[in-house]
Amino acid sequence: MRRAIFPGSFDPLTNGHLDIIRRSLPLFDEIVVAILNNPEKNPMFSVDERRSMIEEILSRIDATTCRLVVDSFSGLTADFAREKQAAAIIRGIRAIGDYEYELRMALMNRRLQPEIETVFLTAAEEYSFVSSTLMKQVFELGGRVDALVPEPIIEKMRAKLNGAAAI
Ligand code: PNS
């Protein structure tokens, strides 16, 4: 049983994240999408909101050979990976700019948990500029993010923005 965790903030999940999940399916028997509980970052969505949105989106993926699970964690990714008895930590690399930071994390995680490998997957070119932070910023300023963020999540972002405007 090959289990991997795919850790991140997922505030919100983008089509870039989904692309990495899809590419990971043939490689593992189970993938745990692991949402970091990091309230200091002042997220747009609570962990519970992110979890239910991700579950909804993942339920549409035809993943016959790989179980997709959503979980959340606090503290170190390496500790969570070990707790889950994961063989690997999945991270997506969009462009060369991501590599230095990702390499440092991978090496630190290896030092913390030497038996857990970080697996880097390259995102599709059309998502090479997509980040949750950019998507939120553009959306909040009235720009369109369709085809970059799953439609049901855009609806939730719209509801958040309208809710915020109503306060
Ligand atoms: O979606 P992100 O923000 O790029 O994800 C970054 C994440 C959550 C993978 C990273 O910040 C992380 O692992 N945080 C948990 C704390 C930790 O383990 N820090 C040391 C990393 S070597």
Side-chain angles (χ1 to χ4, degrees):
M1 157 78 166
R2 287 164 307 159
R3 180 183 289 126
I5 67 159
F6 180 36
S9 307
F10 304 109
D11 184 47
L13 180 93
T14 67
N15 283 345
H17 292 127
L18 266 186
D19 177 60
I20 295 296
I21 293 170
R22 285 210 175 87
R23 288 172 197 280
S24 308
L25 294 177
L27 305 178
F28 299 100
D29 301 308
E30 184 178 292
I31 297 167
V32 181
V33 177
I35 306 165
L36 176 66
N37 187 0
N38 192 0
E40 310 87 69
K41 265 188 142 183
N42 195 19
M44 179 179 235
F45 294 103
S46 71
V47 167
D48 286 346
E49 286 171 325
R50 280 178 262 170
R51 182 197 278 250
S52 71
M53 286 190 284
I54 296 171
E55 277 170 352
E56 183 192 334
I57 303 294
L58 296 188
S59 70
R60 299 163 186 209
I61 294 181
D62 181 23
T64 42
T65 61
C66 179
R67 204 165 96 92
L68 285 170
V69 180
V70 187
D71 207 340
S72 61
F73 72 105
S74 304
L76 289 172
T77 292
D79 287 347
F80 183 73
R82 187 191 152 92
E83 189 189 304
K84 290 283 158 192
Q85 298 181 305
I89 297 169
I90 299 167
R91 291 289 290 170
I93 303 266
R94 289 165 296 196
I96 192 70
D98 284 339
Y99 184 67
E100 204 175 294
Y101 168 65
E102 292 297 335
L103 177 65
R104 272 188 276 131
M105 277 210 298
L107 294 175
M108 189 66 218
N109 282 330
R110 180 188 281 163
R111 178 176 281 256
L112 294 167
Q113 295 296 341
E115 67 289 353
I116 301 175
E117 289 297 335
T118 294
V119 174
F120 291 140
L121 294 174
T122 43
E125 298 93 283
E126 64 259 44
Y127 304 127
S128 59
F129 61 95
V130 173
S131 71
S132 300
T133 305
L134 191 62
M135 295 303 102
K136 281 184 288 192
Q137 189 186 91
V138 168
F139 187 80
E140 280 169 5
L141 295 172
R144 298 179 65 144
V145 295
D146 37 312
L148 304 177
V149 175
E151 198 50 48
I153 294 187
I154 297 179
E155 279 165 32
K156 298 275 188 330
M157 289 168 82
R158 195 168 291 126
K160 274 275 170 198
L161 211 62
N162 291 341
I167 292 166

